[in-house]
Amino acid sequence: MEALEQLLGMGFAADSAAQALSSCGGDIHKATDFLLLNHYQTPPPPLDSTPPNIQPKINRFFNLNPKSDLKTPPKTLIEKHQHSPDLIHRQKRPRSPEIQEIATAPRAPLSERMRPRSLDEVVGQDHLLSGDSLLRSAAARGRLPSVILWGPPGTGKTSIARALVSSCPPSASYRFVSLSAVTAGVKEVRDAVDAARRRSGKRTLLFLDEVHRFNKAQQDSFLPVIEDGSIVFVGATTENPSFHLITPLLSRCRVLTLSPLQPPHLSTLIKQASVDSERGILAGMKRTLVTSVEIEDSAVEFLSLNCDGDARVALNALEAAATTAATRAAADRLYVACDDVKEALQCKHLAYDRAGEEHYNLISALHKSMRGGDADAAIYWLARMLEGGEAPLYVARRLIRFASEDVGLADSQALAHAVACHQACHFIGMPECGVVLAHCVAYLALAPKSVAVYRAFGAAQKAVRESVGQNERVPMHLRNAPTKLMKELGYGEGYAYPPDDPDRAASQTYLPLSLQGRKFLHLP
């Protein structure tokens, strides 16, 4: 009874205290721990009773160490009740340091880690980064110009922008601010400009990736701050600036064109990534025992030839291949074979945008190859388009146009072939219709050519557009007269029906008076 009274004096409910003592064999210490661990709550006291003196710590009752932390239950009691579902639910299990590190600081991909830190480390683009080039001279003097970097993905636009800032002398250092037109708007641009103006001692280079995604009003926001020198603007785009950027912005920036990287350039980057222990493949395997990486020569060659000049594709595929190879790594050495690279890359990377400039470049190459009679080149460009994901019906429609524009009267069956090709593509779709398109392309390329109809139609359009005043009315003898009134008005009067009167019909005219004798169709 003495133990029960002590538990009641601590503020525990009578029934809970009795149950705890019964479960713990009358041991007051274990009973108290049991009550605290299982969160038995004291029922609300009656309104007319005196509130019990609740003591959150039991040190004063048992003369325990006052510095001990009673929030953590004794080990023996945890072991005793470790199978309790309620206890398992309430316990907070801290994540391991490794999991916390990954969650708070995700590892950057290899292509991001291997970005050049200065202009000297940039591989390729020698026409822009030679010793006496604009960018190299501007960085050496610390006077960076506003430029637009235009080139395919993975050719170094962002890397060059960052390297420009790091290559400036300390006396003319720049603050680098990076935005993407995919996620940023005018507000973010305005905030960056305001921050640049507040930094009087250090100029700001504002880099905007995918600048072609900004509309005209958003592009206008750059004009005054570039004009007054508040920022140095560097824009990056994969689309033709002539079509996607406003003229005032192009007037304030120098457009610099980047070329796809050549296989030797990609080979250099791949080899650098294999030997750089701080940023390369080894940096992504710090938790493993791997200390050296070897890449098979055929793997380097395969990657450099099948990434279409895109360094990002090459490095990310290399990292994926290294992950595959790590499953069979022997001791501390990692060997990346050509099969690993092929598995990572899956298929040849083709730079093709169905709505961008490359789309128009390839269809132009196909059209001009057929016009020049080179069936081999025409079939090659067709394959490039289809492998890049071009819609076959689009190509078929262009072939129909070509059949009349370039073949024309030299082979009138060409139009029938092109229309049949379009129908066949509609019926069977890709990939089976690829050979149908190749058949039609070869036919049109080898057919005799005549642009007489194409030129005749263009001349007729010009005559219509350049006519003085209104276009002339249809001559009366060429008009139809289906009613009596129209006959009385002279419609159709004087018309010679060729089957009945071929001699008179031969001298009959069919053009308006001002165009009598005009020739539009000139047959060879």
Side-chain angles (χ1 to χ4, degrees):
M1 293 297 295
E2 182 180 357
L4 180 62
E5 291 178 358
Q6 290 188 29
L7 292 177
L8 293 177
M10 295 179 195
F12 294 110
D15 55 345
S16 300
Q19 181 182 359
L21 286 172
S22 176
S23 301
C24 298
D27 190 330
I28 187 173
H29 293 80
K30 294 182 178 180
T32 305
D33 291 332
F34 182 86
L35 290 171
L36 292 174
L37 183 63
N38 288 275
H39 294 278
Y40 284 103
Q41 300 296 330
T42 304
L47 296 177
D48 56 349
S49 64
T50 305
N53 183 18
I54 300 176
Q55 176 58 259
K57 295 184 179 181
I58 61 173
N59 301 1
R60 61 182 292 185
F61 296 100
F62 301 109
N63 297 322
L64 301 177
N65 183 7
K67 295 183 180 181
S68 63
D69 186 4
L70 293 178
K71 292 182 181 180
T72 304
K75 181 178 179 181
T76 56
L77 196 58
I78 292 178
E79 293 175 350
K80 181 177 180 180
H81 298 284
Q82 62 182 350
H83 299 294
S84 171
D86 186 55
L87 175 62
I88 295 174
H89 176 71
R90 290 194 305 271
Q91 278 185 306
K92 294 182 179 180
R93 300 179 180 179
R95 294 179 300 174
S96 65
E98 179 181 354
I99 296 177
Q100 292 178 353
E101 179 183 352
I102 294 175
T104 55
R107 181 168 56 87
L110 180 62
S111 59
E112 186 66 25
R113 300 198 305 268
M114 289 300 296
R115 286 195 183 277
R117 292 162 292 191
S118 66
L119 291 178
D120 294 332
E121 294 185 1
V122 177
V123 176
Q125 314 307 335
D126 297 335
H127 62 292
L128 297 180
L129 301 175
S130 61
D132 56 350
S133 65
L134 168 67
L135 294 182
R136 182 79 67 172
S137 302
R141 296 184 58 190
R143 296 287 298 175
L144 300 181
S146 293
V147 296
I148 302 292
L149 300 175
W150 170 35
T155 53
K157 298 183 291 295
T158 304
S159 298
I160 289 177
R162 293 179 180 274
L164 280 174
V165 173
S166 60
S167 299
C168 289
S171 59
S173 59
Y174 284 78
R175 172 173 167 263
F176 185 87
V177 177
S178 178
L179 296 176
S180 174
V182 177
T183 57
V186 175
K187 179 182 181 300
E188 287 75 13
V189 173
R190 187 180 296 114
D191 292 343
V193 172
D194 291 342
R197 286 172 172 167
R198 289 194 296 269
R199 293 174 177 266
S200 58
K202 196 172 187 179
R203 297 195 67 188
T204 296
L205 186 147
L206 177 59
F207 174 73
L208 182 65
D209 198 13
E210 305 292 339
V211 63
H212 61 273
R213 293 183 180 270
F214 267 15
N215 58 36
K216 292 183 178 180
Q218 291 172 315
Q219 293 181 37
D220 283 336
S221 64
F222 291 109
L223 303 182
V225 295
I226 297 176
E227 191 75 26
D228 61 17
S230 299
I231 62 168
V232 173
F233 177 74
V234 176
T237 177
T238 58
E239 301 294 337
N240 193 325
S242 301
F243 300 142
H244 294 272
L245 301 185
I246 59 175
T247 303
L249 183 59
L250 295 177
S251 174
R252 290 164 172 78
C253 301
R254 177 79 177 272
V255 177
L256 303 178
T257 305
L258 283 74
S259 304
L261 298 181
Q262 298 300 314
H265 300 147
L266 295 177
S267 298
T268 301
L269 291 175
I270 294 169
K271 293 175 181 178
Q272 287 178 354
S274 66
V275 299
D276 193 325
S277 59
E278 296 181 359
R279 301 181 298 154
I281 297 176
L282 288 175
M285 298 185 175
K286 289 183 177 180
R287 299 186 183 91
T288 66
L289 299 177
V290 176
T291 58
S292 64
V293 177
E294 181 181 351
I295 305 177
E296 194 176 36
D297 291 341
S298 58
V300 176
E301 182 182 4
F302 182 86
L303 260 184
S304 61
L305 292 176
N306 289 276
C307 292
D308 210 19
D310 191 326
R312 185 181 292 107
V313 171
L315 292 175
N316 289 341
L318 175 62
E319 186 172 34
T323 302
T324 303
T327 58
R328 63 172 191 279
D332 58 351
R333 178 173 171 269
L334 178 66
Y335 183 78
V336 181
C338 188
D339 289 340
D340 299 322
V341 171
K342 291 180 179 179
E343 176 66 21
L345 197 59
Q346 292 292 317
C347 63
K348 179 179 174 67
H349 175 73
L350 294 174
Y352 186 74
D353 185 359
R354 288 175 57 182
E357 185 190 9
E358 195 64 14
H359 162 83
Y360 297 103
N361 290 340
L362 287 176
I363 193 61
S364 176
L366 171 62
H367 197 129
K368 291 175 180 176
S369 298
M370 291 190 297
R371 180 182 295 157
D374 192 336
D376 298 299
I379 293 176
Y380 167 77
W381 294 118
L382 170 68
R384 279 278 298 271
M385 296 185 73
L386 295 181
E387 288 297 315
E390 184 56 76
L393 291 180
Y394 167 78
V395 180
R397 289 193 298 270
R398 297 304 305 167
L399 298 183
I400 293 175
R401 165 72 182 195
F402 183 90
S404 285
E405 177 181 340
D406 287 272
V407 178
L409 294 176
D411 184 358
S412 294
Q413 288 299 314
L415 180 59
H417 278 276
V419 173
C421 173
H422 185 279
Q423 292 177 335
C425 292
H426 178 71
F427 290 155
I428 63 177
M430 284 291 289
E432 287 82 359
C433 72
V435 68
V436 178
L437 287 168
H439 180 188
C440 187
V441 163
Y443 181 93
L444 296 176
L446 298 175
K449 307 298 190 293
S450 172
V451 294
V453 173
Y454 171 68
R455 290 178 176 175
F457 183 65
Q461 285 182 309
K462 182 179 180 181
V464 171
R465 294 180 184 134
E466 294 179 355
S467 61
V468 179
Q470 294 182 344
N471 287 316
E472 291 185 69
R473 305 291 296 275
V474 177
M476 296 299 287
H477 69 282
L478 296 181
R479 301 186 189 186
N480 195 23
T483 66
K484 180 180 179 181
L485 176 60
M486 297 173 74
K487 290 180 181 179
E488 293 175 353
L489 293 175
Y491 281 50
E493 184 177 352
Y495 174 66
Y497 186 53
D500 294 341
D501 194 353
D503 295 335
R504 184 162 165 250
S507 60
Q508 188 169 244
T509 61
Y510 297 93
L511 282 171
L513 184 61
S514 63
L515 296 176
Q516 292 295 327
R518 180 74 175 269
K519 293 286 290 183
F520 295 107
L521 179 62
H522 298 276
L523 295 176

